[in-house]
Amino acid sequence: MSSPMFRSFSVFNYRVWFIGALVSNVGQWMQGTALSWVVLTQLTDNDAGAMGITMALQFAPPLLLVGVTGWVADRFDRRRLLLLTQSLLMAIGALIGVLILSGTMTLPLMYVFAFVLGMVAAFDNPTRQAFVSDLVARENASNAVALNAASFNSARMIGPALAGIMIVAVGTGWVFLANAVTFLAMIVALVLIRQDELVPRVKAPGAARLADGFRYVRGRPDLMVAFAMVFLIGAFGMNFPIFASTMAIEFGKDADGYGLLSSILAIGSLTGALLAARRERARIRMVIVGTGLFALAATVSAFMPTYVLYAVTLMFTGFAVVTTMTTANGYVQTTTDPALRGRVLALYMAILMGGTPIGAPIVGWVADAYGPRAAILVGAGAAFVAFGIGATWMLASGRVHRHEHRRFALSLDETRPITLVDAVAPEEFSDEVAGTTPIRLPEMDVPEIAPADRSRRV
């Protein structure tokens, strides 16, 4: 464990937590794959619209309760709260599995379970992510969160493929039961954690968190642009369960083919996260470039004639979207006033997750009415709009100039000095945000930009 990349593993509590989280994440990805497949093929006749409604019901509670759940994560003992939420999620998963195996599961009942899962996850997600800062010292916090992101994307490569194999071999109900068993790993880890070695917490004020964050963001045009881009991609471009499952059916594949597509997407996602972690700074130009790459990759994938070629394009799609989301998350964290970081991240989380209840039903309806390729093009179109917003702002802000020494080159100026803050673990964010890796920063401050030195790039 001498490598700086794995320095958080020197802490006993984090080692225990990491193992439990990895096993649990695999189970969660298995359940997510099975849930989409059972709605699409068992409870409906390939109704992608119903699948979109299911996704919306899962993501709506975290959005609606974002202020309350953040306050709860800051106010109460996170370890005990996680023991409660993980136990509830385990029981819900087991109950869904039993109902499917007994043949009594219906679509309306699945809608209810999707909403209940979203309710519990609304409290579990921010608490689980914030708990990382209780496990390691501040100087290791960003490393611990980065390792969590690696765990999240590694589980994403394993879980969907394993779920696809199990669905074909033994049925979807057993996948939910298997996920319930994986929660035991997290519960055991929480029991084994040494409470006397937890880092003392500084409780954040809960009053008017989102209002204060909104006022701050309103005075930062760069953040408003980033938030608009993230919203569009999150709402229409990141509905991968709908895209992958309906395309798998179009290519004549079964559940194992769908699961494999999800795992292949994760290969690109993990690559994007690791490469983003190597950059010393999160730059907004990378958010814009990543959005453009995602738009192009999604467009190309919509026209792929074979399953194999579509799978290949998914790697590029995953790489582009995680590059965008990782950099946007890192940019928000590292350029926000430390006193407001938690509130701004709560707003970021609400915007990121808030798009799904809006976009998923629309994308699902398009897939059902016009086919999966049209649904993918809707996501690609939203990404092109997001890219246009970012590129237009970049040009209007006066940052783009002809290069002083290269005839056909352009340079980007930093029109306002941005003071970098220490990289610490965010106070609260969701699993989707956990799936993006915070950018490691050098131990230095960025000086103010003198008029004569305005050629420094963004």
Side-chain angles (χ1 to χ4, degrees):
M1 299 303 174
S2 59
S3 171
M5 182 178 294
F6 302 104
R7 61 183 181 273
S8 294
F9 286 152
S10 63
V11 180
F12 171 82
N13 281 347
Y14 186 78
R15 290 199 304 272
V16 172
W17 165 265
F18 183 89
I19 295 172
L22 179 60
V23 175
S24 181
N25 282 335
V26 171
Q28 285 284 71
W29 280 112
M30 290 175 63
Q31 175 170 288
T33 303
L35 180 61
S36 300
W37 193 255
V38 75
V39 170
L40 190 65
T41 63
Q42 291 182 227
L43 301 181
T44 69
D45 184 17
N46 298 337
D47 187 350
M51 192 173 168
I53 294 173
T54 304
M55 291 179 60
L57 289 171
Q58 285 183 275
F59 283 97
L63 169 65
L64 298 174
L65 300 174
V66 62
V68 176
T69 56
W71 177 82
V72 169
D74 285 339
R75 176 66 179 82
F76 296 99
D77 185 296
R78 290 170 182 159
R79 177 180 162 276
R80 293 183 179 179
L81 186 59
L82 286 172
L83 283 170
L84 174 61
T85 57
Q86 293 288 297
S87 298
L88 288 173
L89 290 171
M90 178 176 66
I92 295 170
L95 182 55
I96 294 175
V98 170
L99 290 175
I100 292 175
L101 290 174
S102 64
T104 56
M105 178 62 74
T106 63
L107 182 61
L109 191 56
M110 184 61 85
Y111 284 161
V112 173
F113 276 112
F115 185 76
V116 173
L117 283 171
M119 289 286 291
V120 180
F123 290 91
D124 180 79
N125 288 343
T127 304
R128 182 148 43 91
Q129 303 309 321
F131 187 59
V132 175
S133 62
D134 298 342
L135 298 173
V136 297
R138 178 175 177 176
E139 58 269 19
N140 290 331
S142 62
N143 175 255
V145 175
L147 291 175
N148 274 12
S151 167
F152 181 83
N153 285 289
S154 297
R156 191 176 187 176
M157 287 191 292
I158 301 170
L162 184 58
I165 294 172
M166 284 190 65
I167 291 171
V168 172
V170 295
T172 53
W174 290 105
V175 178
F176 286 92
L177 294 178
N179 172 59
V181 173
T182 64
F183 279 106
L184 293 174
M186 180 64 82
I187 293 173
V188 170
L190 291 168
V191 172
L192 292 178
I193 282 174
R194 299 168 182 170
Q195 299 183 56
D196 57 332
E197 295 182 10
L198 294 176
V199 178
R201 287 169 49 191
V202 177
K203 293 183 180 180
R209 345 178 26 95
L210 289 181
D212 289 347
F214 179 78
R215 282 191 290 268
Y216 178 81
V217 171
R218 188 170 55 188
R220 288 279 305 275
D222 54 334
L223 290 185
M224 292 183 68
V225 168
F227 281 20
M229 296 170 68
V230 165
F231 174 81
L232 287 171
I233 295 178
F236 300 100
M238 291 181 62
N239 294 293
F240 297 121
I242 297 176
F243 301 148
S245 60
T246 52
M247 285 295 283
I249 291 175
E250 175 154 316
F251 288 122
K253 301 295 181 180
D254 209 335
D256 52 348
Y258 164 45
L260 182 59
L261 288 178
S262 300
S263 296
I264 290 174
L265 175 74
I267 295 175
S269 301
L270 180 60
T271 303
L274 293 176
L275 289 178
R278 297 183 61 182
R279 301 187 189 100
E280 65 179 24
R281 281 190 59 191
R283 304 175 189 271
I284 195 169
R285 71 179 183 192
M286 201 63 214
V287 179
I288 299 172
V289 170
T291 301
L293 290 175
F294 172 72
L296 291 173
T299 301
V300 171
S301 72
F303 293 98
M304 288 297 99
T306 66
Y307 176 85
V308 173
L309 289 177
Y310 176 70
V312 171
T313 61
L314 277 187
M315 287 191 289
F316 295 97
T317 303
F319 172 82
V321 74
V322 169
T323 296
T324 300
M325 294 303 177
T326 296
T327 310
N329 183 31
Y331 186 81
V332 172
Q333 290 191 51
T334 58
T335 65
T336 297
D337 186 335
L340 293 169
R341 184 185 290 120
R343 278 159 281 190
V344 174
L345 282 169
L347 182 59
Y348 175 86
M349 181 175 73
I351 290 174
L352 175 63
M353 300 182 69
T356 301
I358 299 172
I362 296 174
V363 170
W365 174 80
V366 172
D368 190 46
Y370 302 102
R373 298 179 188 275
I376 296 173
L377 289 176
V378 169
F384 276 118
V385 173
F387 174 77
I389 292 173
T392 300
W393 172 80
M394 183 70 74
L395 293 171
S397 66
R399 298 187 177 200
V400 181
H401 299 278
R402 291 184 59 183
H403 199 280
E404 294 181 359
H405 306 295
R406 299 177 184 176
R407 185 174 182 181
F408 298 105
L410 297 175
S411 63
L412 296 175
D413 293 347
E414 191 167 12
T415 56
R416 56 171 293 171
I418 297 177
T419 302
L420 299 182
V421 296
D422 293 334
V424 300
E427 293 182 35
E428 51 182 278
F429 50 96
S430 70
D431 258 349
E432 292 188 59
V433 180
T436 61
T437 310
I439 306 301
R440 183 176 59 83
L441 300 176
E443 299 293 332
M444 65 177 72
D445 292 325
V446 175
E448 296 287 326
I449 302 175
D453 189 31
R454 294 184 61 83
S455 62
R456 187 167 63 84
R457 296 184 297 171
V458 176

